[in-house]
Amino acid sequence: QVQLVESGGGLVQAGDSLMLSCTASGRTFSNYAMGWFRQFPGKEREFVAAITWYGMTTYADSVKGRFTISRDNAKTTVYLQMNSLRPEDTALYYCAAARVTWGSIHISDYNYWGQGTQVTVSS
């Protein structure tokens, strides 16, 4: 079992930056690929970014060049640095862990999920 706790969400203005953190406890963190997903009201959860245990990253086209995912295996924490935020980035952001060796974009590959943290970007 892996427990994930996100933090760092909040209300910011368009163009601002925000860093989300997700701290894991339980099983060996470095065995898991980690991902960030987001969910808009009334919509399905969508992929944002993923990182393998060895640091290879994958991004959704909508955030490429603005968001950066990273991880610190010693701190069992994964981060999502979000720059140049837009109102359309407003969503509930979830951290997830997957028992795979690649940076999966598929929700079905992820075994554990955090509770989510709200990001709101005002125009």
Side-chain angles (χ1 to χ4, degrees), residues 5-80:
V5 178
E6 302 103 333
S7 62
L11 172 63
V12 297
Q13 292 188 328
D16 285 352
S17 297
L18 205 58
M19 175 176 274
L20 305 182
S21 300
C22 172
T23 300
S25 60
R27 298 292 181 91
T28 305
F29 178 74
S30 58
N31 289 349
Y32 292 83
M34 300 298 296
W36 286 97
F37 290 76
R38 63 188 180 184
Q39 189 165 18
F40 305 109
K43 298 291 183 67
E44 293 190 357
R45 207 167 293 188
E46 69 173 33
F47 171 77
V48 176
I51 186 167
T52 65
W53 66 268
Y54 49 91
M56 182 171 289
T57 58
T58 307
Y59 296 94
D61 288 342
S62 59
V63 306
K64 203 171 291 183
R66 299 188 299 124
F67 291 10
T68 302
I69 188 171
S70 61
R71 66 190 293 164
D72 185 332
N73 288 337
K75 296 182 178 179
T76 66
T77 300
V78 62
Y79 305 95
L80 185 68

Side-chain angles (χ1 to χ4, degrees), residues 70-103:
S70 61
R71 66 190 293 164
D72 185 332
N73 288 337
K75 296 182 178 179
T76 66
T77 300
V78 62
Y79 305 95
L80 185 68
Q81 176 65 45
M82 304 185 293
N83 298 329
S84 302
L85 281 162
R86 305 166 180 169
E88 53 264 38
D89 294 318
T90 295
L92 188 59
Y93 283 73
Y94 293 91
C95 168
R99 286 193 299 262
V100 297
T101 57
W102 60 93

